[in-house]
Amino acid sequence: MPQRKADRNNLRVSTPRRRAAIENLEPRELLSSTWFVSPAGNNKNPGTLAAPFQTIQQAATVAQSGDDVEIETGTYHETVTPAHSGVTFEAYNNENVTISGADPITGWTQYSGEIYSAPMSTDLGEGNNQVFVNDLAMNEAEFPNSAIGDASTPTTATMQSVKGNTIYDSALNQPANYWKGAIIHMDPGQAWVDETGTVTSSAPGSITISYTNMGAYTAPTAGNQFQLFGTFKALDTAGEWYRDPTSGRLYLWAPGNANPASLDVEAKDRPFAFNLNNVSGTTINNIGIFSATITTTASSKNTVINGITANYVSHQMLVPNGWFINPTEGILLKGADSVLENSTIANSTSDGVEVSGSGSLVTNNVIHDVDTVGANDAGVRLLVGNVTVSHNTIYNSGRDGVLAEVAHATVTYNTIHDVGLQTTEAGGIYTASVNGEGSTMAYNQIYNIHTAGYGGTALFADNSTSGWSIHNNITWNVDYGLKLNYTSTADNIYDNTLGATSLSINTNQLGSWKGVTIDGNVFTRPIVTTAGASIYNNTFSSTAPAGMGAGDFSSGASGVVAAAPPPVTVTTVTPATTTQPATKATVTPPAATSKIMAVNYTSTSNTKADGSGGVGYIYNNSSVAYTLDFGAGVTKISAGLAAMYAGGTMEIHLGSATGTLLGKINIATTGAWNKYTSQTASITGLKGVQTVYLVFKGSAAGIANIDWLQFS
């Protein structure tokens, strides 16, 4: 007789399963809770091991609560929609099983040169189509051309200047309206998130676009990066494709200039491998997923996804507004008390995993190459509280590693690195504008985060966040170890080892930190804090006293080798005060010919610490004064300046902000507020001990940051 479920489980423990002769007895659905599927089967079969179904969906239709569906080796081109809750789907005997959302493309003919064409009846819509050659995603025809298979670090063009909605770049040397109708993908303004728009006209050296205004600081500006796609005219190299929406034909220039007929060419046809929207208690074990994801709803409670390998999970290139939450991308855990564990999730234009089911757990997964369009997405994004994210390895994300703007979140023992690849001011773990109500970031190791703009941060509590416990984390090779912006309360920051290249702790110094405690930490760089915090028992020592800092612990998914943190070393670290004083007395004026750090000013007006150890938040008529010994005389000033916008100047005045003008630097843009370049100007009339005023002029929303100055 067919095996009962209990008997089958006993067999699994003792010996590997193998095919056996099974008698043809009474209909098996009356006796057995195990159904078998094989590509060599037939849906008219009874679904036994000897006579399996051909499709997983056939088994999903007949399986009842408590039943198992055992899937044999093969690739299944289907979306599985269970008819009942409580069903387990798994690879039979851990065999190699893949559910694919892509289907083969055949019927190739030569179009022109190395470009071939074939009918592609399926159209998921502009930006949603995806084409694969031998299981590797090709690039939709684009300008400039990127390497195949590296969506996390695409090749981009640079806006040399912008006037209104017109973007200028000398590389756009094609005839008038060559790019009309193309789609632009760009990181506008501060580049916090990316977005797409439409090219309405073009001329040699420029394009004019239509796009959504996402708010202040997001208008395109000189230095922003961009790409163009969505037009056949961009198909100009191997590894690119274009689908003509009018003819329904696919055009492909295959890698190696090969004839696509000799290759395995597929196109994405279905977004979901499993549709669990109307069922609960479903378990998925050890199944591969290709070019598709798993969708659920709030009613999909107690879903367990274990041991899957999901590649090219979601694909949606259009991003009208980068802050918009896309509800259909990534592995979707929307039902309460669900689990994703022991899995690999790779290649998603949006989230790797999206969790909106309270009580859920995401643990021991490897999640990488996600948010490749640079939206407000992450390796793991939490949309609800009471979720635990632990022991995961997350890397190569366009913006954040873990995005948790919720209460009662637990983010622990994760290894996160190389995030913020498409955007600026990203976080390894990011939360904002929320009372965490006891949420925790602890025992995480976070490294390799550097971005333009205001820099990349390992542990980022943005926009008046409170109620987080941040402890026993290790960070290194990041712009900032930890950042809290605006008013923060009831945040407890203790026993961390905060390595960084700029600052161990940073803030915009706006608001109050009353109720914040910072103790027992090891800092390898200076800290900038906001008034009100209780700061004690921390060390800037290269040798951390016993009991201070994060200590030793393991993090990340099991079996994944992560980079070891470097030894804790500190070079020229001076603990910073909570606010920059309005004046600094100078007993013996330093020599003007030595390198003067900008923060060592005599007085300042309308500036603050820039968050990178310099002076920033500089606007029109801001000034910084220095009393220096110019000796026998100097003729040149050099300064380390950073600027996002063009048009600003730094005037050098003698004695007061309106005193004699000695010289002027026309400030060049550097592309980031923490990217300093040496800029110079000639000066006259300076010798002996004098006070000079650096007066900044300009109309932009932020003129420059200054790190150092030196006269010669």
Side-chain angles (χ1 to χ4, degrees):
M1 294 179 63
Q3 292 169 183
R4 301 287 294 176
K5 184 175 182 181
D7 297 332
R8 185 182 66 81
N9 287 339
N10 290 335
L11 180 61
R12 173 187 294 169
V13 173
S14 58
T15 60
R17 281 183 244 168
R18 54 191 174 87
R19 285 189 179 275
I22 296 182
E23 300 177 67
N24 290 324
L25 298 176
E26 63 271 21
R28 57 134 329 143
E29 57 264 44
L30 298 177
L31 298 174
S32 176
S33 57
T34 303
W35 307 88
F36 293 88
V37 181
S38 168
N42 190 306
N43 284 348
K44 295 182 180 180
N45 287 342
T48 62
L49 183 58
F53 297 132
Q54 185 180 43
T55 66
I56 305 170
Q57 182 56 51
Q58 180 62 22
T61 300
V62 300
Q64 305 292 315
S65 179
D67 288 3
D68 281 7
V69 174
E70 299 289 331
I71 309 167
E72 298 187 53
T73 297
T75 299
Y76 298 81
H77 297 268
E78 55 181 304
T79 296
V80 180
T81 305
H84 301 96
S85 298
V87 178
T88 294
F89 297 85
E90 62 185 0
Y92 169 71
N93 207 24
N94 290 322
E95 292 180 358
N96 188 9
V97 173
T98 299
I99 300 177
S100 176
D103 290 333
I105 299 293
T106 58
W108 293 97
T109 58
Q110 189 173 25
Y111 169 73
S112 176
E114 309 299 339
I115 300 175
Y116 287 75
S117 174
M120 179 179 163
S121 58
T122 299
D123 182 13
L124 299 180
E126 179 59 63
N128 297 336
N129 293 312
Q130 198 169 21
V131 174
F132 306 92
V133 173
N134 297 338
D135 293 338
L136 179 66
M138 299 293 101
N139 296 331
E140 184 172 359
E142 62 185 358
F143 168 87
N145 299 322
S146 298
I148 303 171
D150 192 13
S152 288
T153 55
T155 301
T156 56
T158 301
M159 300 179 190
Q160 294 171 347
S161 62
V162 180
K163 185 176 181 180
N165 283 19
T166 300
I167 295 166
Y168 296 88
D169 178 5
S170 58
L172 297 170
N173 54 13
Q174 297 80 11
N177 284 328
Y178 184 89
W179 294 110
K180 183 177 180 180
I183 297 167
I184 182 171
H185 176 228
M186 58 182 175
D187 58 354
Q190 291 290 337
W192 291 322
V193 292
D194 289 7
E195 71 171 306
T196 54
T198 302
V199 178
T200 57
S201 65
S202 70
S206 70
I207 56 174
T208 300
I209 66 171
S210 172
Y211 70 99
T212 300
N213 183 349
M214 295 189 295
Y217 308 111
T218 60
T221 189
N224 287 158
Q225 304 300 299
F226 73 96
Q227 288 179 301
L228 300 175
F229 68 98
T231 174
F232 183 80
K233 295 174 182 177
L235 206 171
D236 61 357
T237 191
E240 290 188 338
W241 62 270
Y242 176 77
R243 184 189 184 278
D244 183 357
T246 302
S247 67
R249 294 190 68 84
L250 172 67
Y251 296 85
L252 173 66
W253 187 337
N257 302 330
N259 184 336
S262 66
L263 305 171
D264 179 17
V265 181
E266 294 185 303
K268 187 179 181 73
D269 199 5
R270 295 166 297 280
F272 304 125
F274 283 94
N275 183 339
L276 309 181
N277 285 355
N278 298 310
V279 293
S280 62
T282 306
T283 298
I284 300 170
N285 284 327
N286 302 319
I287 293 175
I289 294 175
F290 181 80
S291 186
T293 189
I294 299 172
T295 183
T296 60
T297 61
S299 63
S300 308
K301 299 178 180 179
N302 301 110
T303 299
V304 176
I305 303 170
N306 174 61
I308 70 167
T309 299
N311 196 15
Y312 300 108
V313 176
S314 299
H315 188 77
Q316 188 174 74
M317 294 294 293
L318 297 187
V319 191
N321 187 326
W323 296 114
F324 174 71
I325 295 175
N326 190 317
T328 62
E329 297 216 330
I331 302 295
L332 303 174
L333 297 181
K334 295 185 177 181
D337 303 313
S338 295
V339 177
L340 173 69
E341 59 187 350
N342 310 318
S343 298
T344 298
I345 312 298
N347 291 302
S348 173
T349 55
S350 183
D351 298 308
V353 183
E354 179 187 296
V355 186
S356 53
S358 179
S360 294
L361 171 66
V362 179
T363 185
N364 199 41
N365 304 288
V366 177
I367 302 166
H368 65 92
D369 293 281
V370 296
D371 188 23
T372 55
V373 297
N376 186 35
D377 297 316
V380 179
R381 179 170 57 173
L382 307 185
L383 300 178
V384 69
N386 294 299
V387 173
T388 297
V389 180
S390 70
H391 294 94
N392 301 284
T393 296
I394 302 170
Y395 63 95
N396 288 359
S397 173
R399 185 162 171 81
D400 304 316
V402 176
L403 176 56
E405 297 172 314
V406 296
H408 304 294
T410 300
V411 185
T412 55
Y413 293 101
N414 300 285
T415 295
I416 302 171
H417 63 92
D418 293 277
V419 303
L421 299 182
Q422 313 290 343
T423 58
T424 69
E425 207 172 3
I429 303 172
Y430 182 95
T431 184
S433 309
V434 67
N435 183 347
E437 298 181 24
S439 292
T440 300
M441 303 180 198
Y443 299 101
N444 301 286
Q445 298 195 59
I446 306 176
Y447 58 96
N448 293 359
I449 308 177
H450 300 287
T451 80
Y454 292 107
T457 302
L459 306 159
F460 197 168
D462 199 6
N463 294 347
S464 301
T465 293
S466 62
W468 279 78
S469 177
I470 304 174
H471 66 88
N472 293 93
N473 299 283
I474 300 175
T475 74
W476 72 95
N477 194 30
V478 296
D479 292 324
Y480 312 116
L482 179 143
K483 186 191 291 186
L484 280 68
N485 279 339
Y486 300 98
T487 294
S488 296
T489 59
D491 290 320
N492 296 316
I493 302 160
Y494 62 94
D495 295 344
N496 300 283
T497 300
L498 298 178
T501 57
S502 292
L503 295 170
S504 287
I505 295 181
N506 189 20
T507 177
N508 60 8
Q509 292 189 305
L510 299 174
S512 169
W513 280 10
K514 186 177 182 180
V516 172
T517 60
I518 303 174
D519 72 281
N521 301 283
V522 175
F523 305 131
T524 70
R525 297 295 299 153
I527 66 172
V528 174
T529 60
T530 297
S534 298
I535 305 173
Y536 57 92
N537 195 33
N538 301 287
T539 182
F540 291 87
S541 171
S542 59
T543 302
M548 296 189 67
D552 295 327
F553 60 88
S554 297
S555 65
S558 61
V560 178
V561 178
V568 177
T569 58
V570 180
T571 56
T572 318
V573 172
T574 303
T577 56
T578 57
T579 57
Q580 293 291 342
T583 61
K584 294 187 177 182
T586 303
V587 177
T588 302
T593 54
S594 63
K595 193 172 188 178
I596 310 299
M597 300 312 295
V599 294
N600 294 325
Y601 47 72
T602 302
S603 64
T604 181
S605 173
N606 195 27
T607 71
K608 290 188 296 187
D610 72 343
S612 296
V615 176
Y617 294 88
I618 294 173
Y619 306 97
N620 188 43
N621 290 322
S622 293
S623 65
V624 192
Y626 299 87
T627 301
L628 306 171
D629 186 351
F630 293 92
V634 295
T635 59
K636 185 175 75 172
I637 179 174
S638 299
L641 295 168
M644 283 289 292
Y645 309 113
T649 63
M650 185 182 82
E651 299 177 350
I652 300 91
H653 291 262
L654 180 63
S656 72
T658 57
T660 302
L661 178 64
L662 306 176
K664 180 173 69 173
I665 293 177
N666 294 315
I667 301 170
T669 57
T670 63
W673 291 117
N674 62 347
K675 182 180 180 182
Y676 292 96
T677 62
S678 178
Q679 303 187 36
T680 63
S682 298
I683 58 173
T684 57
L686 267 180
K687 62 181 179 179
V689 175
Q690 303 279 3
T691 299
V692 293
Y693 283 74
L694 310 182
V695 181
F696 295 83
K697 302 284 188 178
S699 59
I703 296 173
N705 292 351
I706 180 168
D707 186 50
W708 57 268
L709 64 154
Q710 188 171 17
F711 294 83
S712 59

